Amino acid sequence: MEDLHPSNYSLSFSRPEESPTTENSNPLPRAVLRRSSHVLLDGQWRFAHDDADVGLQQDWAAGHIYAHTAQWPGSVEEHLAQARGQHGAAAWHDQVVVWYEREFALPAIEEPQPCSMVQLTFGACGYETRVWLNGHPLSTIEGEEVHFGEYTSFTYELDPEYLRPVNRLTVRIADNMDGETPRGKQESHVYKRGGIWYQTYTGAVRSVWLEVVERNRLRSRVGVVSVVEDQLVRFNVTLRIHDPGDYVIRLQVFDPKTPNRTSPLAASDFPVRLEAGQWQQRVVLEVPGAELWSPEAPHRYRLVAQLVDSEGYASTIETLFGLRKIEARGRHVYLNNQSTYLDGILYQPGQATYKEMQLHMHAMKALGCNLVRVHIAGIDPRIYNLADELGLLLWVEVPSPHSSTPRSRENHRAELLRLVTLSETHPSIIIWSLYNEDWGAQDIATNPETRQYIVDTYHFMQITYPQFLVVDNDGWHHVSHTGRLKSDLLTAHLYTPDLARWQELLDRLVGGQMEGTAAFPLVVGDAFFYRRQVPLIVSEWGGFGFPDYGGPQDAEARTSSIRAFKQELRRRPIAGDVYTQATNIEDERNGLIDAHTGALSVPTELLASRQMKFLE
């Protein structure tokens, strides 16, 4: 029998605790914590590449001789290179199919309960993942025999009928260069590697773990929407029920600095009658005297949520959350009803490790940024927690497909829902982009179906997730319907190394000239007339050091140009900007931060426009 390794975020009531979402305290790539110990299945797995894609037909899950081993987590590209005796990462140009397998001992359960079961979670894996337990195919909690997506976690409940004292876990992962799947800036058949397009990095990219959970429980996802004027918080919780009956949803809110949980700031019970299945429930709690979350004062509170059955047995999750409000009103972005200029930077984590991403976040804060635009990439959810803690606003984006078809739109929507469902806890996340520069929506100007999909998705996000601002297609073709922009922000990507040209472009932009200013007409669909009725954001600029964009090469000249260009932005009625970019990545050599050490190549506070004397 294998003992469960206790997590290092002990949930004992008897001693003071560290905050569970500090950057070093959560060992698992998830944001909402559960009161259970876990067994990490990371480490050496047996490995085989299935170049002829015969493993399913030959039933490798029933038994197969694996010639190689691979370290999980890791990438398919690394594992293929190791198996073939190559150095670096192996490129693949059409389809890749690989298999992994290992044994694990059935976890020992202290004080076993009849209402407990074993759960298996993949932090992220894909794009296409199938899993077998002792040769039996598994389905996710959502009922997927094949899980699609590579940026978010997914979970299996392990049927006791199939569990043994020692178990064999088999995983098949497949991916291809299909332009219809969400890829971000990974190469495809449409966009080849080079310039701004990067090598693929896919497969077993995050941890996998076992834990013991209750049959009837709250899942590890919590949506948070706050009404700051009334100190109300709407919590959206997800319930997994095997045994129909009467339950109580119990919420308690604590000051995270309080050494014990004897005196909640707010608490309430919500009795519910539940049938078997997965359900979502909205509940509202007043938190009197709550301080708001902001970059200057990132106040957070601890939520302890329980699902209590009729026998008094409770399933518990907990997370930190903040009260904040974001609005786009007139030409300003308002945070907590205060006009806030967004000093942003573009961040492409690429193949950065979790520790490296932590260094990057601290460095971007040191640059004076209050906003980080995480560019069409799914990241470790603990980075969202770190942004909450540091007071960094986040602009996140759906990793885009590379072609515009009905299937690509289906895949895009599915990826959006997977991402937003697991990230709506965080006060730091304020903006979502649906598309970027027409990638995956290349026919946006000519195809009414593409525009209608974007309009419908924008309206869906507005209604379902009111805690976020939504951008339809960042930087290029925005969509207008009956003269109304289907985006909360009007954004433009402007690149030039010449200061006089920069001034000219900014003047044209704030003057409402939608033609000939950015790379394309800035708005398509129905006629749109900009009169400062929405905030204007220059969401990419600079790129200094990248040959395609020109600009200064050395750090001193780059610093001088950034200051001069930033001053021109702040002299105009613009609501925010995003400098490109934080770190170097492959061919894009325009970073301000060392990708490995987090060291700055320019002065601290360089991007903090609040330091500019002419604004005082």
Side-chain angles (χ1 to χ4, degrees), residues 121-143:
T121 299
F122 290 78
C125 185
Y127 180 72
E128 176 187 318
T129 307
R130 299 173 187 252
V131 181
W132 292 260
L133 176 66
N134 298 321
H136 298 279
L138 300 181
S139 295
T140 66
I141 290 179
E142 283 70 30

Side-chain angles (χ1 to χ4, degrees), residues 417-606:
L417 293 177
R418 285 190 290 265
L419 285 163
V420 74
T421 296
L422 293 172
S423 59
E424 57 171 325
T425 310
H426 304 282
S428 58
I429 300 177
I430 61 166
I431 303 170
W432 277 89
S433 282
L434 305 180
Y435 287 95
N436 175 78
E437 292 188 357
D438 297 3
W439 302 340
Q442 291 91 334
D443 57 356
I444 188 173
T446 58
N447 188 348
E449 292 182 2
T450 299
R451 292 197 300 275
Q452 190 60 52
Y453 168 73
I454 291 173
V455 169
D456 291 344
T457 306
Y458 169 73
H459 288 158
F460 164 78
M461 290 290 290
Q462 274 194 321
I463 294 169
T464 311
Y465 301 103
Q467 68 269 45
F468 305 125
L469 301 179
V470 180
V471 175
D472 55 349
N473 178 41
D474 185 56
W476 287 18
H477 287 127
H478 293 278
V479 177
S480 171
H481 180 66
T482 65
R484 298 179 63 183
L485 200 65
K486 295 305 172 179
S487 178
D488 293 323
L489 306 171
L490 178 61
T491 66
H493 296 174
L494 302 179
Y495 287 106
T496 176
D498 180 75
L499 184 59
R501 175 62 174 161
W502 179 242
Q503 293 167 329
E504 177 191 350
L505 289 173
L506 293 180
D507 287 340
R508 290 176 59 85
L509 190 63
V510 299
Q513 298 184 49
M514 301 290 103
E515 299 278 344
T517 301
F520 287 91
L522 205 53
V523 180
V524 297
D526 298 333
F528 174 77
F529 305 96
Y530 176 67
R531 298 295 186 270
R532 304 185 185 181
Q533 67 270 43
V534 294
L536 179 61
I537 308 282
V538 180
S539 52
E540 288 187 29
W541 67 277
F544 300 146
F546 185 45
D548 287 5
Y549 299 156
Q553 298 289 325
D554 65 89
E556 185 176 349
R558 189 180 305 184
T559 298
S560 178
S561 288
I562 290 172
R563 284 193 176 122
F565 277 55
K566 186 85 172 182
Q567 286 177 345
E568 296 301 327
L569 283 163
R570 291 311 316 267
R571 288 190 172 106
R572 290 164 175 81
I574 291 172
D577 68 84
V578 179
Y579 180 79
T580 305
Q581 65 183 344
T583 62
N584 294 339
I585 178 168
E586 296 202 18
D587 292 345
E588 288 194 85
R589 316 299 294 177
N590 53 357
L592 307 180
I593 301 166
D594 186 282
H596 300 296
T597 68
L600 299 181
S601 62
V602 294
T604 60
E605 297 291 312
L606 178 62

Side-chain angles (χ1 to χ4, degrees), residues 225-234 292 323-325:
V225 181
S226 50
V227 181
V228 300
E229 293 85 357
D230 294 330
Q231 298 174 323
L232 292 175
V233 185
R234 185 181 87 193
L292 302 185
L323 280 74
R324 69 109 180 97
K325 176 184 180 182

